[in-house]
Structure formats: C-alpha cells, structure tokens
Amino acid sequence: MVKEAVDVGTLLSAEEVGEVVARWGLGAVVEMQKLYGGFSGSNYRVRDEHGVQAVLKVCHSYGLEEVCAQAAVVGHLGACQFPAACAGMSLLPAHIPAGGSAFVTCIPSSGEPAMLLTFCEGKAADSVIESGVDAHFVLREVGVNLARLHQVPTDTSRTHLRSYTLSGACNIGDHLAGKWKALFRENEHTCRHS
C-alpha cells in the first residue's frame, strides 16, 4: 500500500526556506514544493534561480547529535559519488558552527535541525508496484541498490561515521530499545504514526 500523504510538520514559509537554503550557497528559490509521506521530518523540494534542485529535510523529534550522525552518512555518500541516494550537501564555511556538522543547521523559527540533500528523481517502490510493475523486478532492483550502497567504502576513523559497534548510522540500538518510538508518540509532528 502506498504511504498516505501525511503532513508531519508545520509548513515553512517560502521566505524562511530561502533563508535557510542560502546557508548551503543556493541562489534565490524560485520554486518550492512540500513533499509528503515522510515519517519524522518535513521535506521541501526547492529549485533555485540557477536550476539547482535540492531537498530541505527538517528533522522533527531528533536531537542535533542524531541528525548530525545521519547527515554524516549522506555527506559521505555524496563524497563517494554514490548515485542512487540523495547526498548531503555541505554548508558554506561561514555557516558551519565551531565543532559542529558541515551538513546540519537549525530552522530559525523552531530550532529544529535540518539538512540539505541532492534531489533524486524517482518514485517510491510501493507506488511503482501498485502501478502494475512486477513486484519481483522492483524488489530485485531495490536489493541491487542496497548491495551497492553497502559496498561504499567507509573508514570511521577518517569520516566520523558511527560504526555498527556504535549501533550504526541510524542508531538502531535506540530504535530496538524503544527510545525513538516513545519520543515519536510524544511529538505533535509524529504522534499520528503507528
């Protein structure tokens, strides 16, 4: 079943989105579209005056440390030029806080962490299957790309990525312990998700 278009956050103004994405060096935003279907974030597809497209991901319920860890992963994928995922974009040097992440900033109106990702054209696998494409073909392609993703070289001593010994990039240990489930149920943006 294709995921319902649930709005998990407050709609940011075009002015605020433009102000935030300028921290990554994007030009004036000429097009902005709220993307739906997220679980714990609000996503905005933007296109600037130079035709650059990106996705501003505002992370609800997650602390800054967790978002920085996730951003390090997508930033690493970008540095390795992995083509099948949205890559994290680096902030302009003037916007990188001392000792902070080169990929994460905070939304002025809410203080929530956000990152900017490259935009990848595509469709969710479940919607492709529901449109009539053979499920075995779609899932095989998903598996092939997951295998490619897991072949991206990592050196946690040089990249500051969390390793599997520290619960992985998304801190699955906290998920398994129920930490995030409780936080998601308490947060106004994610409490409607089961």
Side-chain angles (χ1 to χ4, degrees), residues 6 45 56 67 70-71 73 76 86 88 97 108 114 117 119 122 128 130 133 145 158 162 173 176 179 185-187:
V6 176
R45 176 180 163 188
L56 177 65
V67 176
Q70 291 178 22
V73 172
H76 180 69
C86 298
L117 307 171
F119 178 75
V128 173
E130 285 193 6
V133 177
N145 280 297
R158 290 183 29 236
R162 289 193 301 215
L176 293 173
K179 176 182 175 185
R185 284 193 174 155
E186 294 169 7
N187 186 281

Side-chain angles (χ1 to χ4, degrees), residues 49-61:
E49 61 191 330
H50 307 292
V52 175
Q53 291 191 84
V55 174
L56 177 65
K57 179 177 184 63
V58 182
C59 303
H60 308 300
S61 300

Side-chain angles (χ1 to χ4, degrees), residues 33-168:
Q33 175 189 8
K34 176 87 169 41
L35 302 175
Y36 293 94
F39 178 73
S40 61
S42 295
N43 299 297
Y44 300 87
R45 176 180 163 188
V46 297
R47 184 172 57 85
D48 78 359
E49 61 191 330
H50 307 292
V52 175
Q53 291 191 84
V55 174
L56 177 65
K57 179 177 184 63
V58 182
C59 303
H60 308 300
S61 300
Y62 287 104
L64 187 59
E65 181 182 347
E66 180 67 22
V67 176
C68 288
Q70 291 178 22
V73 172
V74 292
H76 180 69
L77 291 175
C80 291
Q81 300 179 336
F82 183 73
C86 298
M89 299 171 71
S90 291
L91 290 158
L92 293 173
H95 295 284
I96 299 172
S101 170
F103 301 102
V104 177
T105 192
C106 290
I107 301 297
S109 62
S110 67
E112 293 175 298
M115 64 182 96
L116 194 68
L117 307 171
T118 57
F119 178 75
C120 292
E121 193 68 50
K123 293 183 179 179
D126 55 352
S127 66
V128 173
I129 292 168
E130 285 193 6
S131 75
V133 177
D134 179 62
H136 292 99
F137 171 78
V138 173
L139 295 175
R140 183 173 40 254
E141 290 300 307
V142 169
V144 165
N145 280 297
L146 282 172
R148 288 182 183 141
L149 175 67
H150 287 90
Q151 292 174 10
V152 172
T154 59
D155 178 353
T156 57
S157 67
R158 290 183 29 236
T159 60
H160 306 291
L161 298 177
R162 289 193 301 215
S163 71
Y164 72 92
T165 60
L166 298 173
S167 301

